[in-house]
Amino acid sequence: MSEVAAPHVSVLLGEVIQALEPGPGKHIIDGTFGAGGYTRAILATGAQVTAFDRDPTARRFADGLGDRFRLVEARFSEMDAELGEASVDGVALDLGVSSMQLDEAERGFSFMRDGPLDMRMGADGPTAADLVNTAEPAELARIFWVYGEERQSRRIAAAIARRRAEQPFSRTLDFADFVERVMGGRRGAKVHPATRVFQGLRIAVNEELSELEAGLAAAERVLKPDGRLAVVTFHSLEDRIVKAFLTPRAGRTPAGSRYLPPAEAGAPPSFKLLFNGAQAPSDAETRANPRARSAKLRAAVRTAAPAWKEAA
């Protein structure tokens, strides 16, 4: 198996491998292939890997990975349709946007590089520019507030609506500079004023949170008994979804709780948590890789109980 240089450092790699326990005879899903960091580490243990990525450019990192590897160009929420139920020994998900997507200006993810206002992880669907130029101000405000946790969401959305009526947005730096001006400039702030707006748009364009919810349910179906799930999140919205998924399925939510799907009250636990709470990167990792600073790992082992059915 040959090594491929990749402009991306996998976060919490050692902890994820420890949680998954891959090895010869094991079949592991890397649901977010990216540049293949997790996949290479899993293959090095002797395991088989089926990787998923909706980004067609990810295939350039798949060369030379050997006959124990297969890449599927699809969303990770489709893993059970591709592989069938109770068919794999582990699932790894590394969420959010990858370093190479941020670094490639033509992808339109970064407010630091000029490029088309795109932000799509895949090759189809509406772009960020489509959303910014056509969505109602109330919808834009909701996206910035819910997905970006931006407190000035209504003010920014109203300003966008006024500007686009005269000149639509098409470039990342133009949009980022506009948001910065609306918010009164940086005034010494370490974080760019457009950070939360860009996050909200990216999540909306790629339907990241609904994809995560569907992907977790698919992982529950595809894992064999004693199979392992490891999920690395990068912001609180993702982590809350993973926690809300695993906690009741591990029997940690009292019966009758409003967070427990009514149809599953009293259902046997379908997961056992590997550790309480979430693991964070070490200080050494965050110093070496600043992207790791906000990362959290949650992991669990699949039981023999049937997969839960979500309430309608």
Short mmCIF file of all heavy atoms in Angstrom, two decimals, residues 5 18 43 55 70 77 85 87 98 116 148 151 160 168 171 199 209 238 240 255 265 301 307:
data_model
loop_
_atom_site.label_atom_id
_atom_site.label_comp_id
_atom_site.label_asym_id
_atom_site.label_seq_id
_atom_site.Cartn_x
_atom_site.Cartn_y
_atom_site.Cartn_z
N ALA A 5 0.46 11.78 -0.31
CA ALA A 5 0.54 13.03 0.45
C ALA A 5 -0.82 13.70 0.47
O ALA A 5 -1.51 13.77 -0.54
CB ALA A 5 1.57 13.95 -0.20
N GLN A 18 -8.32 3.69 18.53
CA GLN A 18 -8.50 2.96 19.79
C GLN A 18 -9.97 2.62 20.02
O GLN A 18 -10.30 1.52 20.48
CB GLN A 18 -7.96 3.78 20.95
CG GLN A 18 -8.03 3.06 22.29
CD GLN A 18 -7.42 3.89 23.42
OE1 GLN A 18 -7.16 5.08 23.27
NE2 GLN A 18 -7.18 3.25 24.55
N LEU A 43 -6.55 0.78 7.52
CA LEU A 43 -5.97 -0.23 6.64
C LEU A 43 -4.65 -0.77 7.20
O LEU A 43 -4.34 -1.96 7.05
CB LEU A 43 -5.73 0.35 5.25
CG LEU A 43 -6.98 0.61 4.39
CD1 LEU A 43 -6.59 1.39 3.14
CD2 LEU A 43 -7.67 -0.69 4.01
N ASP A 55 -17.94 14.23 -2.12
CA ASP A 55 -17.08 15.14 -2.87
C ASP A 55 -16.32 14.34 -3.94
O ASP A 55 -15.47 13.53 -3.60
CB ASP A 55 -16.09 15.82 -1.93
CG ASP A 55 -15.25 16.89 -2.60
OD1 ASP A 55 -15.21 16.92 -3.85
OD2 ASP A 55 -14.63 17.69 -1.89
N ARG A 70 -12.37 0.28 -0.69
CA ARG A 70 -13.31 0.68 -1.73
C ARG A 70 -13.88 2.04 -1.38
O ARG A 70 -14.25 2.29 -0.23
CB ARG A 70 -14.45 -0.34 -1.85
CG ARG A 70 -15.48 -0.02 -2.94
CD ARG A 70 -16.36 -1.23 -3.22
NE ARG A 70 -17.25 -1.51 -2.12
CZ ARG A 70 -18.56 -1.14 -2.09
NH1 ARG A 70 -19.09 -0.47 -3.09
NH2 ARG A 70 -19.31 -1.47 -1.05
N SER A 77 -24.99 8.86 4.81
CA SER A 77 -26.32 8.42 5.24
C SER A 77 -26.83 7.26 4.38
O SER A 77 -27.82 6.61 4.73
CB SER A 77 -27.31 9.58 5.16
OG SER A 77 -27.42 10.08 3.84
N GLU A 85 -27.87 -4.20 6.40
CA GLU A 85 -27.93 -4.10 7.86
C GLU A 85 -27.01 -5.12 8.52
O GLU A 85 -26.77 -6.20 8.00
CB GLU A 85 -29.37 -4.27 8.34
CG GLU A 85 -30.30 -3.16 7.84
CD GLU A 85 -31.66 -3.18 8.50
OE1 GLU A 85 -31.84 -3.97 9.46
OE2 GLU A 85 -32.53 -2.40 8.08
N SER A 87 -23.79 -5.37 8.95
CA SER A 87 -22.80 -5.89 7.99
C SER A 87 -21.38 -5.45 8.27
O SER A 87 -20.45 -5.97 7.64
CB SER A 87 -23.18 -5.46 6.57
OG SER A 87 -23.25 -4.04 6.47
N SER A 98 -13.39 19.90 5.33
CA SER A 98 -12.00 19.45 5.38
C SER A 98 -11.05 20.59 5.08
O SER A 98 -11.42 21.60 4.48
CB SER A 98 -11.77 18.31 4.37
OG SER A 98 -11.87 18.80 3.05
N PRO A 116 -15.56 31.60 -6.19
CA PRO A 116 -17.02 31.61 -6.35
C PRO A 116 -17.70 31.25 -5.03
O PRO A 116 -17.21 30.40 -4.29
CB PRO A 116 -17.27 30.55 -7.43
CG PRO A 116 -16.07 29.67 -7.39
CD PRO A 116 -14.92 30.54 -7.00
N GLY A 148 -25.37 29.15 12.36
CA GLY A 148 -24.15 29.90 12.62
C GLY A 148 -24.07 30.49 14.00
O GLY A 148 -23.02 30.98 14.41
N ARG A 151 -25.58 36.33 16.38
CA ARG A 151 -26.54 37.16 17.10
C ARG A 151 -27.13 38.29 16.25
O ARG A 151 -28.23 38.75 16.50
CB ARG A 151 -25.88 37.74 18.36
CG ARG A 151 -25.50 36.68 19.38
CD ARG A 151 -24.86 37.31 20.60
NE ARG A 151 -24.48 36.31 21.59
CZ ARG A 151 -23.90 36.60 22.75
NH1 ARG A 151 -23.62 37.87 23.05
NH2 ARG A 151 -23.58 35.64 23.59
N ILE A 160 -28.27 42.13 3.40
CA ILE A 160 -28.04 41.31 2.21
C ILE A 160 -29.16 41.52 1.20
O ILE A 160 -28.92 41.67 -0.01
CB ILE A 160 -27.92 39.83 2.60
CG1 ILE A 160 -26.59 39.56 3.31
CG2 ILE A 160 -28.04 38.93 1.36
CD1 ILE A 160 -26.48 38.18 3.92
N PRO A 168 -26.18 41.26 -7.17
CA PRO A 168 -26.14 39.94 -6.52
C PRO A 168 -24.72 39.58 -6.07
O PRO A 168 -23.74 40.09 -6.62
CB PRO A 168 -26.62 38.99 -7.63
CG PRO A 168 -27.37 39.86 -8.58
CD PRO A 168 -26.69 41.19 -8.54
N ARG A 171 -18.98 36.23 -5.26
CA ARG A 171 -17.63 35.93 -4.84
C ARG A 171 -17.51 35.92 -3.32
O ARG A 171 -18.19 36.67 -2.62
CB ARG A 171 -16.64 36.95 -5.41
CG ARG A 171 -16.73 37.17 -6.90
CD ARG A 171 -16.28 35.97 -7.70
NE ARG A 171 -14.84 35.67 -7.50
CZ ARG A 171 -14.23 34.68 -8.15
NH1 ARG A 171 -14.89 33.89 -8.98
NH2 ARG A 171 -12.94 34.47 -7.94
N GLN A 199 -20.30 29.77 8.30
CA GLN A 199 -20.63 28.44 8.86
C GLN A 199 -22.09 28.11 8.63
O GLN A 199 -22.44 27.00 8.21
CB GLN A 199 -20.33 28.41 10.36
CG GLN A 199 -20.78 27.10 11.02
CD GLN A 199 -20.54 27.07 12.52
OE1 GLN A 199 -19.40 27.15 12.96
NE2 GLN A 199 -21.60 26.95 13.31
N LEU A 209 -26.68 18.98 9.09
CA LEU A 209 -27.24 18.47 10.33
C LEU A 209 -28.26 17.36 10.07
O LEU A 209 -28.28 16.35 10.79
CB LEU A 209 -27.87 19.61 11.14
CG LEU A 209 -26.90 20.73 11.54
CD1 LEU A 209 -27.57 21.70 12.50
CD2 LEU A 209 -25.61 20.19 12.15
N GLU A 238 -23.24 19.99 16.02
CA GLU A 238 -22.98 18.59 15.71
C GLU A 238 -22.92 17.75 16.98
O GLU A 238 -23.53 16.67 17.05
CB GLU A 238 -21.65 18.46 14.96
CG GLU A 238 -21.60 19.10 13.60
CD GLU A 238 -20.20 19.13 13.02
OE1 GLU A 238 -19.22 19.04 13.79
OE2 GLU A 238 -20.08 19.27 11.79
N ARG A 240 -24.22 18.20 19.89
CA ARG A 240 -25.52 18.01 20.54
C ARG A 240 -26.34 16.93 19.85
O ARG A 240 -27.05 16.16 20.50
CB ARG A 240 -26.29 19.34 20.57
CG ARG A 240 -25.79 20.31 21.61
CD ARG A 240 -26.83 21.37 21.93
NE ARG A 240 -27.11 22.25 20.81
CZ ARG A 240 -26.49 23.42 20.60
NH1 ARG A 240 -25.54 23.83 21.43
NH2 ARG A 240 -26.81 24.18 19.57
N ALA A 255 -37.21 6.97 31.35
CA ALA A 255 -38.45 6.74 30.60
C ALA A 255 -39.38 7.93 30.77
O ALA A 255 -39.51 8.50 31.86
CB ALA A 255 -39.13 5.46 31.09
N ALA A 265 -39.91 4.26 23.92
CA ALA A 265 -39.86 4.25 25.38
C ALA A 265 -39.85 2.80 25.87
O ALA A 265 -40.70 1.99 25.49
CB ALA A 265 -41.06 4.99 25.95
N VAL A 301 -20.47 1.26 21.54
CA VAL A 301 -20.47 -0.11 21.02
C VAL A 301 -21.91 -0.54 20.78
O VAL A 301 -22.78 -0.34 21.64
CB VAL A 301 -19.80 -1.08 22.02
CG1 VAL A 301 -19.81 -2.50 21.46
CG2 VAL A 301 -18.38 -0.64 22.32
N ALA A 307 -32.32 -1.97 16.00
CA ALA A 307 -32.18 -0.53 15.82
C ALA A 307 -33.49 0.15 16.19
O ALA A 307 -34.58 -0.36 15.94
CB ALA A 307 -31.82 -0.22 14.38
#
